[in-house]
Amino acid sequence: MKFQKHIFICTNQKESGKACCGEERGMELVQKFRDVLNEKGLKGTVRAQRAGCLDACKFGPALVVYPDGVYYAPVSPDDVERIVNEHIIGGKPVEELELNW
């Protein structure tokens, strides 16, 4: 496997008026994850990319970390460094940000 972890960040956009992650900072989160991963020397081993709907619209902005299968929502740009440090590097999901549905 090329990547040790893969972070899929919902950037889906829906019809006007419907809740969706893309409208609530989806691409901003993608860029923030990419910047933090690069700063920490993880480019090439961890990938952050935009994704379509993760079926967590009412909880969003949402993302999922694979292969762990851990969903996070709602996520703000201020949460990114913590997720990278604690989960991606440290191996321990950030419980209070996890989406438990």
Side-chain angles (χ1 to χ4, degrees), residues 10 14 39-40 43 48 55 66 74 77-78 93:
C10 180
K14 294 186 177 185
E39 288 168 13
K40 306 250 180 220
K43 187 175 181 180
D55 287 331
Y66 281 112
D78 293 336

Side-chain angles (χ1 to χ4, degrees), residues 40-59:
K40 306 250 180 220
L42 297 170
K43 187 175 181 180
T45 59
V46 179
R47 178 167 172 81
Q49 71 178 64
R50 58 189 192 163
C53 186
L54 299 174
D55 287 331
C57 307
K58 66 182 178 181
F59 306 106

Side-chain angles (χ1 to χ4, degrees), residues 24-77:
E24 290 190 51
R25 299 189 228 88
M27 284 307 297
E28 181 182 354
L29 287 169
V30 171
Q31 191 58 55
K32 178 76 175 183
F33 268 101
R34 287 178 178 169
D35 291 345
V36 171
L37 291 170
N38 191 38
E39 288 168 13
K40 306 250 180 220
L42 297 170
K43 187 175 181 180
T45 59
V46 179
R47 178 167 172 81
Q49 71 178 64
R50 58 189 192 163
C53 186
L54 299 174
D55 287 331
C57 307
K58 66 182 178 181
F59 306 106
L63 61 93
V64 61
V65 178
Y66 281 112
D68 308 338
V70 174
Y71 281 75
Y72 289 107
V75 178
S76 78

